[in-house]
Amino acid sequence: MLRATMSTIPLTLQSSQSLKHLFSLSHFQKPLIHSFNQPKKLTTFTRRLFSIKPISVSSPIRTYVDEKIDPTYLSCSMSHKNPLKVAVLVSGGVDSSVALRLLHAAGHSCTAFYLKIWFQEDFENFWSECPWEDDLKYAKAVCDQVDVPLEVVHLTDEYWNNVVSYIIEEYKCGRTPNPDVLCNTRIKFGAFMDAISGMEFDFVASGHYAKIVHASTDHLDEPSILELSKDMVKDQTYFLSHLSQAQLKRLIFPLGCIPKDEVRMLAKSFNLPNQDRKDSQGICFLGKIKFSEFVARHIGESEGVILEAESGDYLGNHRGFWFYTIGQRQGLRLPGGPWYVVEKDIKNNVVYVSRNYFSVDKKRRLFRVGSLKWLSGLPPRQISQLQCKVRHGPGFYNCSLAMEVDEHGQEVAVVRISEDDQGLAAGQFAAFYNGRTCIGSGVILESWDDQGYPICERALEIARMEDKSKLGKPVKIMVKPEQSFATI
């Protein structure tokens, strides 16, 4: 078990108005947020920082030797600047460790920070399943190689209030949120920046695959720009697309100029103790627990019916609509497929499915996006020849935007993409680009051109039935004709 000496640092709010909204969920305009418990005012909090004593790890650690590094590897580490005071977020993984070493090699004064974002004690948790102890051991070992101090910051309450609770509420409303975008905006570069605001750091750095271009000292009033990383597969600008300009101006991403395979090579050349660790997957606070199990614990289960969208046939039962997302195929357990979730009736707890999800007559090129955030602080002047990502990955669509105002007086973008997309899901983020520059993002409001997958009248009538036990047993699902023909 780790032992630490504890000091208490009072939390002071940022003076910048642009950061205050990060600690309230109200900036996600209705109808994205309905009933929601507001987080406690941060002025009532104190932030605990732990100074971790040296920890032994199984991997051998050699004394750091300041070897000559190819200058191209330092091109995203602001090596041309006078030595900077940099707060570096470390996770115990390879990426953040290499980022730390590059900043150190560039001559900057670094302090490493590990964010502790586990559950509140009021909620059942799975600490025994989370590998945080190993993460912290590796982070400490990496820091010890170059005598960089390591602090552990408690942001448990902030993470619960601003990320986990939001995820739960979105699932209750039938949407599919993206916790990674929220964690970056509200925790890593929100609550954490606030916690260290009195420590006079010049910049905050992390191991994200993205590139930031800051204005020159002669034009400091110009905005900082978020650009695609050199590694298009690992690029993480999608997850960073909802940051504010105030946040962007304070960030450094040393890995934005380096492909992933060369990051691994650098880890070996630095002889990092975690050089062979696999990249982390999933949401950190869950550890090995499946997200569906977490949802079941905190939302519960409520049996409902599964109906075929085209016929209204009763096909089976489900555990609750919040376990399913538009386009989902896994977990339906229906024969004669493949079946896909095409729509959800939140009021009546009904899941509609179809085997015609990829039908050409059901176009998916038009959708609406709300809760817009533009990285420059201003809406783009050009809205006709842009690119769009609707999920993390190297794929883009050409797109155009049409701006309108919704019934709540909030700006909404109507997005038209160049190709059909079968995986659009309300609650996910759409990030917009002008060439290699990420210009902002928003939350997808609807998934279909007509704001709803076409559901037959019989299915709608069954969904409105109060006593669905009268439906009897599910129908026997017939194999689709083309499948039957293919097996002859």
Side-chain angles (χ1 to χ4, degrees):
M1 181 62 68
L2 301 180
R3 297 185 180 274
T5 57
M6 183 174 71
S7 60
T8 302
I9 295 180
L11 178 66
T12 56
L13 288 174
Q14 286 274 10
S15 59
S16 172
Q17 292 293 327
S18 60
L19 288 181
K20 288 183 178 179
H21 74 283
L22 296 172
F23 305 103
S24 171
L25 298 180
S26 61
H27 71 284
F28 276 83
Q29 303 296 337
K30 295 179 179 180
L32 290 176
I33 296 295
H34 298 281
S35 60
F36 198 92
N37 294 327
Q38 292 295 325
K40 301 175 183 177
K41 293 183 179 179
L42 289 182
T43 51
T44 65
F45 280 95
T46 57
R47 190 69 61 247
R48 293 175 291 167
L49 299 183
F50 289 78
S51 298
I52 304 300
K53 294 181 178 180
I55 304 167
S56 61
V57 295
S58 57
S59 301
I61 302 175
R62 299 177 185 174
T63 303
Y64 171 70
V65 178
D66 191 9
E67 300 175 340
K68 184 69 175 178
I69 297 178
D70 186 335
T72 58
Y73 289 132
L74 302 178
S75 56
C76 283
S77 297
M78 302 187 78
S79 57
H80 60 287
K81 294 282 188 180
N82 292 328
L84 300 169
K85 186 177 179 182
V86 184
V88 187
L89 288 169
V90 294
S91 64
V94 172
D95 293 337
S96 61
S97 299
V98 171
L100 172 67
R101 291 295 294 267
L102 290 173
L103 290 165
H104 182 268
H108 302 311
S109 174
C110 299
T111 300
F113 291 88
Y114 179 91
L115 302 187
K116 180 181 177 183
I117 50 177
W118 310 309
F119 289 167
Q120 293 174 318
E121 295 179 0
D122 296 342
F123 296 88
E124 186 169 3
N125 58 68
F126 311 100
W127 288 12
S128 62
E129 299 288 346
C130 188
W132 64 269
E133 286 188 329
D134 285 343
D135 291 341
L136 198 50
K137 286 179 182 179
Y138 279 112
K140 179 59 179 172
V142 169
C143 292
D144 283 347
Q145 286 184 311
V146 284
D147 293 326
V148 169
L150 172 65
E151 306 286 353
V152 177
V153 186
H154 273 257
L155 294 175
T156 305
D157 291 339
E158 288 76 10
Y159 194 72
W160 178 269
N161 289 331
N162 291 293
V163 178
V164 181
S165 293
Y166 175 85
I167 292 170
I168 291 173
E169 289 299 313
E170 285 291 276
Y171 271 97
K172 285 181 179 179
C173 296
R175 293 183 287 269
T176 307
N178 191 306
D180 295 297
V181 175
L182 298 176
C183 186
N184 286 328
T185 304
R186 301 178 178 185
I187 304 301
K188 292 180 181 178
F189 308 126
F192 171 68
M193 279 187 172
D194 187 84
I196 64 169
S197 61
M199 297 183 180
E200 299 181 349
F201 285 103
D202 297 307
F203 288 94
V204 173
S206 70
H208 282 90
Y209 285 85
K211 182 179 180 181
I212 295 182
V213 180
H214 292 293
S216 65
T217 53
D218 297 332
H219 301 86
L220 292 178
D221 56 332
E222 295 184 1
S224 295
I225 298 172
L226 179 65
E227 292 187 348
L228 295 168
S229 69
K230 189 171 183 178
D231 192 319
M232 293 293 289
V233 174
K234 294 294 293 183
D235 178 77
Q236 293 175 302
T237 54
Y238 175 82
F239 298 128
L240 300 163
S241 61
H242 217 61
L243 295 174
S244 69
Q245 180 61 206
Q247 291 169 311
L248 210 59
K249 279 184 174 294
R250 297 187 60 193
L251 296 178
I252 305 175
F253 297 138
L255 305 188
C257 306
I258 310 173
K260 175 67 178 184
D261 58 345
E262 294 182 29
V263 170
R264 284 283 180 182
M265 180 190 70
L266 285 169
K268 292 185 180 297
S269 68
F270 288 139
N271 193 37
L272 295 181
N274 57 359
Q275 60 185 264
D276 295 320
R277 288 196 87 187
K278 295 181 179 179
D279 293 337
S280 61
Q281 302 291 332
I283 304 173
C284 53
F285 70 82
L286 291 181
K288 299 177 182 178
I289 300 297
K290 294 181 180 179
F291 190 70
S292 60
E293 295 179 24
F294 167 77
V295 171
R297 297 283 187 101
H298 292 277
I299 300 181
E301 298 185 11
S302 178
E303 187 176 80
V305 298
I306 300 175
L307 303 178
E308 184 175 24
E310 291 83 0
S311 67
D313 285 345
Y314 166 44
L315 305 182
N317 298 317
H318 62 79
R319 301 162 58 196
F321 68 81
W322 45 85
F323 288 98
Y324 303 90
T325 187
I326 301 298
Q328 180 174 332
R329 175 180 173 182
Q330 301 296 326
L332 292 173
R333 300 178 181 177
L334 297 175
W339 293 92
Y340 297 88
V341 176
V342 295
E343 193 62 88
K344 296 181 288 186
D345 183 333
I346 309 306
K347 180 180 179 181
N348 297 301
N349 192 24
V350 173
V351 172
Y352 298 102
V353 298
S354 174
R355 291 183 286 197
N356 301 315
Y357 186 61
F358 292 94
S359 175
V360 295
D361 65 335
K362 298 179 177 64
K363 295 182 178 180
R364 303 163 183 87
R365 297 192 182 190
L366 194 71
F367 56 95
R368 297 168 71 243
V369 173
S371 298
L372 293 165
K373 177 77 71 65
W374 305 112
L375 289 169
S376 68
L378 297 172
R381 295 180 180 179
Q382 176 183 324
I383 59 175
S384 60
Q385 295 180 330
L386 300 175
Q387 294 77 44
C388 174
K389 278 189 180 187
V390 294
R391 62 186 60 85
H392 171 58
F396 290 87
Y397 292 117
N398 291 325
C399 74
S400 62
L401 309 181
M403 309 307 295
E404 61 181 37
V405 177
D406 66 11
E407 63 272 21
H408 303 286
Q410 302 300 318
E411 187 179 55
V412 172
V414 179
V415 184
R416 183 178 295 277
I417 55 179
S418 56
E419 303 174 42
D420 292 342
D421 187 286
Q422 284 78 21
L424 294 173
Q428 287 286 303
F429 281 78
F432 303 107
Y433 297 78
N434 188 348
R436 294 190 61 84
T437 300
C438 179
I439 61 175
S441 66
V443 181
I444 297 174
L445 301 179
E446 294 98 12
S447 305
W448 306 101
D449 282 11
D450 56 0
Q451 300 184 18
Y453 189 92
I455 308 297
C456 73
E457 188 59 35
R458 178 170 178 257
L460 295 175
E461 290 179 0
I462 294 175
R464 290 190 291 265
M465 289 176 55
E466 292 188 8
D467 185 6
K468 294 184 176 61
S469 64
K470 296 179 180 179
L471 293 174
K473 295 182 179 180
V475 301
K476 183 177 180 180
I477 299 174
M478 304 299 293
V479 177
K480 292 181 70 174
E482 57 267 30
Q483 290 179 313
S484 178
F485 178 79
T487 58
I488 295 176

